[in-house]
Amino acid sequence: MSDTLELPNGDVVDPDDVFLYNDYPYRLVWLDSDSHAFALSPLYWGDSGMDIPCRDRGALVDQWGADSRGTLSDEEWADWLEYASEDSRFGDDEVADLADELPTEWEPPRRDSSSSGGLRDKLGL
């Protein structure tokens, strides 16, 4: 079995590579299973039961959506982290941990120390 997988966009990844799948960073995990060849493991949530098992590459091709882009450049990962830091679906700890794992140099935006981080602050009130 090959140690690499060709993503539907043509990028070739191995278990050390991070790629954008459905607008979230994932890694490839090869499985020792009769029913699934590999899984996509979310970078922050890996080993939490949120891995996406695929029986073969064809199953991945069927699931590959418009928000899936494959491997990204350092600059593209920094842009993604900037986007994630402003998106309420992602917590500050999650974004910080992702920044440590992603192949980019990125510093989180400075927060106003007088801000409580509550809903009023997020709405700019």
Side-chain angles (χ1 to χ4, degrees), residues 104-123:
T104 189
E105 295 293 323
W106 179 82
E107 291 293 324
R110 293 182 185 247
R111 305 281 188 216
D112 180 355
S113 61
S114 66
S115 168
S116 66
L119 181 58
R120 293 179 57 82
D121 289 331
K122 289 182 180 183
L123 295 174

Side-chain angles (χ1 to χ4, degrees), residues 19 46 57 60 96:
F19 53 93
R57 185 177 179 281
L60 176 58

Side-chain angles (χ1 to χ4, degrees), residues 32-94:
D32 185 19
S33 167
D34 292 334
S35 59
H36 296 95
F38 60 90
L40 307 182
S41 183
L43 195 56
Y44 181 77
W45 298 103
D47 296 328
S48 68
M50 295 179 68
D51 291 5
I52 302 168
C54 296
R55 69 182 177 283
D56 56 26
R57 185 177 179 281
L60 176 58
V61 169
D62 291 343
Q63 295 178 51
W64 194 260
D67 289 332
S68 300
R69 295 193 34 225
T71 58
L72 301 180
S73 69
D74 292 0
E75 186 176 287
E76 290 170 318
W77 279 123
D79 290 345
W80 186 88
L81 284 164
E82 191 66 31
Y83 148 78
S85 72
E86 297 171 3
D87 189 319
S88 63
R89 295 176 298 162
F90 304 102
D92 291 342
D93 290 342
E94 180 179 2

